Amino acid sequence: MTYKFSKRVPDPKNDAVGDILKAAADPKVTSFAGGLPAPELFPVQGVKAAADKVLDEKGPAALQYGSAQGVPELRNVVLKRLEVEGIHTTADHVMIATGSQQSIDLTGKMFLDEGDVVIVEKPTYLTAVDVFRSYGARFVGVDMDEDGMKMDSLEEALKNNPRARLIYTVPTFQNPTGRTMTLERRKKLVELADKYDVMVLEDNPYGAIRWEGENLPSLKSLDKTGHVIYMGTMSKIFSPGLRLGWVVAEPKLLKRYTMMKQSADLHTDSFSQYVCAQYFTDNDINDHIKKITALYHKREQLMMSAIDKYFPKGVQHSNPEGGMFLWVMVPGVKDSKELFNAALKRNVAVVPGDPFYGSDPVPGTFRMNYSNTPEDGIVDGVKQLAAALDEVMSEPATK
Amino acid sequence: MTYKFSKRVPDPKNDAVGDILKAAADPKVTSFAGGLPAPELFPVQGVKAAADKVLDEKGPAALQYGSAQGVPELRNVVLKRLEVEGIHTTADHVMIATGSQQSIDLTGKMFLDEGDVVIVEKPTYLTAVDVFRSYGARFVGVDMDEDGMKMDSLEEALKNNPRARLIYTVPTFQNPTGRTMTLERRKKLVELADKYDVMVLEDNPYGAIRWEGENLPSLKSLDKTGHVIYMGTMSKIFSPGLRLGWVVAEPKLLKRYTMMKQSADLHTDSFSQYVCAQYFTDNDINDHIKKITALYHKREQLMMSAIDKYFPKGVQHSNPEGGMFLWVMVPGVKDSKELFNAALKRNVAVVPGDPFYGSDPVPGTFRMNYSNTPEDGIVDGVKQLAAALDEVMSEPATK
């Protein structure tokens, strides 16, 4: 039968990323394509102890329906994480979401009508593009350099797009580039959001995983007018399997989030919220973050030195001070998919750049993840990828 | 500041149900307002054993990102539950959702454009109305009697509404009425859905909790053309705190659900999916369902006999063969809120009928939940409610 779908439903043929991840899941393939944490560092024993304690001490509450805003114990844990980001606030400003993805979804649902504009980094987090598009958004991309979004380009975009409703940014160790926005630009961004009266969605999944440079204040901590909505997650510092994220906003705005959240899934998993809160109470999360940071740093260094050694001349990459991703730019490639296919033939997967662009993809770009591949796989994978690049770069252009 | 919300965002002043549940949460109040399972029956020790086993045997997988379609072990558990409903299918027809609420949300998002019509029972599950409204739906209510939706009224609605995109129904132990649709009407509904080419969303959270009468086949099991989307949940037979529901549809349609689900929250909590699957593997869920059924039956009998004894003459109530709710109809009441307030003054809460109607509320109706109140509370609460009804029914109409 033929279904009469709403305008929001994408054609499954366009699930390019799904297809990539499926190809990358082949056990033969060394995948730099995903964005997964290193599973060997998951605090399995700590979670077990926390789960036992929660079930012993508050079993019925952990298995019962809960409030849409989230378990108070976990909201208090979040407040401590927010302190690190320079955000000094109270639990009535915090809502627990079913992972960061839900925070993005609810924000799109709340702020976007058909034809509204979302201003994004160029490139940006691809699944955010999918979500905003499902609410009828158009995208305006803002140029970046190694210091993040360019502010003159942002102001231009704001000036030219009166229907801009949202600036979506990952200011620290951005996905996909690994780049971090400077303090000066952060201040300017907050100022522009106020000047043009546009909301900012600050997405900070990776900020805690820093091995170099100084912590920079979050946009939210610089915001005096309430234009910045901050979102964070447990996925990179604890576990992504427990779908736990948070939205931080003024109580008046948070009330709407809570209503929309209730419509979306009533509330986030009670059991996982209690278990996570218990784990954070009984363990020093900063010790754990240090271990994650050390391992990812080692893997990043290894990947970058292998790239510098084996990749053809002219290939550029970002140089992140933390997070999980490298961004690679290959000159003279017309079609990023060609790159992907050449790599896959050699059993290596990356994500070609196109889907990371809300508009006007830059060919010859791709994202590499280093957090999820053991050290020997990194070197071998980069060698194979280098061979694929040699092939693609030396080929005469096919169009 | 003033926010520029999308058209989807409801006014927080309209959160009538939120206000009711907040009032009902006062520990002084005997609440028949919620829809919560009896927490004393949650299988806390079984969940603890399952959680320990999952973390010992597949800890990293349980804490890692997972697939949008859900953990295979849990989808296999769901297949066994579906057999009970007469649905003989395969795991590629099943997607795990973050509770039933998400199944409803995704369905609304996928099938409804602004101005489309959803056909609902009159009355219907109130949070479904909220969700569908957030996608711009209009509602057409179909009259019910003790045998469920009236089929002549449904056909009339289908004939008159070419923009009908969805029939939403809770055919068994309906929320809020506790009524069950007869086999004959089930067959007719499926036939009409095919004839008018309209999708059916069959929501079956309570079907397993039956103490009287025969199991009836699900609409999905009667459907030969793929018009019925079936949804179920762990909330009433296991735990609602672990947000676990499922959608059953043709693989072609399920692929779209999976894409929309990925946009909404990437995937459902991995840890909870594994724990639930482990619990179902190591325990006989039918034994557990028997305990739930026995307790709810006892409470329902107690509530109905107290109602028959204490409520004023002329008050009618439904007579469910299972589930969690009674529906009460009070003659001569113009304003259901008046009823609610009179009850709350006596420290008893119910949900007045208005929000359960997609359109044209019937005054003097309310929903009573019996699953969540211990036996002594039921009798005392009904007595107080009877006094409130006496007051409201004897008052001269104020308008």
Side-chain angles (χ1 to χ4, degrees), chain A residues 4-249:
Chain A
K4 296 177 201 122
F5 289 121
S6 74
K7 289 179 292 190
R8 292 174 202 99
V9 178
D11 191 318
K13 284 183 210 118
N14 294 339
D15 189 14
V17 180
D19 294 343
I20 288 164
L21 295 179
K22 211 171 279 172
D26 185 331
K28 283 200 313 288
V29 171
T30 298
S31 177
F32 303 133
L36 277 61
E40 58 270 40
L41 292 187
F42 289 146
V44 175
Q45 288 314 312
V47 172
K48 191 177 162 190
D52 285 353
K53 202 161 171 182
V54 163
L55 290 165
D56 284 343
E57 293 177 5
K58 40 198 154 194
L63 303 184
Q64 186 58 288
Y65 283 114
S67 89
Q69 198 178 346
V71 165
E73 286 87 336
L74 187 59
R75 288 192 284 135
N76 286 328
V77 163
V78 169
L79 289 180
K80 282 189 206 151
R81 296 299 316 152
L82 293 173
E83 294 283 339
V84 183
E85 301 297 325
I87 303 167
H88 310 286
T89 189
T90 47
D92 59 338
H93 288 69
V94 177
M95 183 188 84
I96 303 299
T98 305
S100 271
Q101 191 63 33
Q102 186 178 56
S103 304
I104 299 175
D105 184 47
L106 295 177
T107 304
K109 196 170 181 184
M110 282 170 61
F111 286 100
L112 302 176
D113 280 318
E114 184 83 31
D116 283 343
V117 167
V118 180
I119 296 181
V120 294
E121 281 142 354
K122 213 172 143 181
T124 185
Y125 172 51
L126 59 92
T127 316
V129 171
D130 290 344
V131 178
F132 294 142
R133 189 172 281 137
S134 81
Y135 294 111
R138 293 178 295 128
F139 295 92
V140 173
V142 171
D143 288 330
M144 292 182 91
D145 57 22
E146 291 305 311
D147 292 339
M149 216 184 247
K150 289 182 178 174
M151 288 303 125
D152 49 350
S153 172
L154 174 60
E155 181 149 24
E156 186 90 358
L158 287 165
K159 239 184 232 161
N160 295 337
N161 291 284
R163 288 200 60 185
R165 287 289 172 273
L166 208 58
I167 303 168
Y168 171 74
T169 176
V170 185
T172 307
F173 316 138
Q174 197 232 16
N175 183 356
T177 64
R179 293 165 180 160
T180 295
M181 195 186 292
T182 58
L183 177 57
E184 194 190 355
R185 290 195 186 174
R186 286 171 193 242
K187 287 179 180 163
K188 186 70 183 176
L189 191 151
V190 168
E191 190 190 308
L192 290 173
D194 181 29
K195 180 172 169 189
Y196 291 90
D197 193 20
V198 173
M199 299 303 291
V200 178
L201 183 60
E202 176 179 26
D203 186 1
N204 185 25
Y206 315 107
I209 303 169
R210 175 186 280 280
W211 48 77
E212 214 180 301
E214 295 270 309
N215 259 342
L216 290 174
S218 61
L219 297 170
K220 181 72 183 165
S221 72
L222 301 170
D223 167 39
K224 302 291 167 243
T225 59
H227 283 88
V228 179
I229 301 157
Y230 178 92
M231 44 179 283
T233 172
M234 290 296 173
S235 293
K236 311 308 189 273
I237 60 172
F238 174 64
S239 153
L242 282 71
R243 308 287 310 124
L244 299 170
W246 50 90
V247 173
V248 183

Side-chain angles (χ1 to χ4, degrees), chain A residues 1-15 17-19 21-22 35-40 42-45 47-49 51-53 55-56 59-66 98-99 101-103 105 108-114 116 125 127 130-131 134-136 164-165 196-199 225-227 233 235-236 238-244 250 252-253 255-256 259-272 275 372, chain B residues 1-15 17-19 21-22 35-40 42-45 47-49 51-53 55-56 59-66 98-99 101-103 105 108-114 116 125 127 130-131 134-136 164-165 196-199 225-227 233 235-236 238-244 250 252-253 255-256 259-272 275 372:
Chain A
M1 62 178 287
T2 311
Y3 302 104
K4 296 177 201 122
F5 289 121
S6 74
K7 289 179 292 190
R8 292 174 202 99
V9 178
D11 191 318
K13 284 183 210 118
N14 294 339
D15 189 14
V17 180
D19 294 343
L21 295 179
K22 211 171 279 172
L36 277 61
E40 58 270 40
F42 289 146
V44 175
Q45 288 314 312
V47 172
K48 191 177 162 190
D52 285 353
K53 202 161 171 182
L55 290 165
D56 284 343
L63 303 184
Q64 186 58 288
Y65 283 114
T98 305
Q101 191 63 33
Q102 186 178 56
S103 304
D105 184 47
K109 196 170 181 184
M110 282 170 61
F111 286 100
L112 302 176
D113 280 318
E114 184 83 31
D116 283 343
Y125 172 51
T127 316
D130 290 344
V131 178
S134 81
Y135 294 111
R165 287 289 172 273
Y196 291 90
D197 193 20
V198 173
M199 299 303 291
T225 59
H227 283 88
T233 172
S235 293
K236 311 308 189 273
F238 174 64
S239 153
L242 282 71
R243 308 287 310 124
L244 299 170
E250 302 307 305
K252 198 173 74 166
L253 177 54
K255 165 83 180 163
R256 310 286 185 123
M259 288 175 78
M260 298 309 270
K261 158 100 181 142
Q262 189 156 321
S263 281
D265 64 0
L266 291 187
H267 63 86
T268 294
D269 196 297
S270 308
F271 181 44
S272 287
V275 169
N372 191 243
Chain B
M1 63 180 287
T2 312
Y3 303 104
K4 296 177 200 124
F5 290 119
S6 74
K7 288 180 291 191
R8 291 174 203 98
V9 178
D11 191 318
K13 282 182 210 118
N14 294 339
D15 188 14
V17 179
D19 294 343
L21 294 179
K22 210 171 280 172
L36 278 61
E40 59 269 41
F42 289 146
V44 175
Q45 288 312 312
V47 172
K48 192 177 160 189
D52 285 353
K53 203 162 172 182
L55 289 165
D56 284 342
L63 303 184
Q64 186 58 289
Y65 283 114
T98 306
Q101 190 64 31
Q102 185 178 57
S103 304
D105 184 47
K109 195 171 181 184
M110 281 170 60
F111 287 99
L112 302 176
D113 281 317
E114 184 82 31
D116 283 343
Y125 172 50
T127 316
D130 290 344
V131 178
S134 81
Y135 294 110
R165 286 290 171 273
Y196 291 90
D197 192 20
V198 173
M199 300 302 291
T225 59
H227 282 89
T233 172
S235 292
K236 311 306 190 275
F238 174 63
S239 154
L242 281 70
R243 307 290 308 124
L244 299 170
E250 303 307 304
K252 197 173 75 166
L253 177 53
K255 164 84 179 163
R256 310 286 185 123
M259 288 176 78
M260 298 307 272
K261 157 99 181 143
Q262 187 156 318
S263 281
D265 64 1
L266 293 186
H267 62 87
T268 294
D269 195 298
S270 309
F271 181 45
S272 287
V275 169
N372 192 243

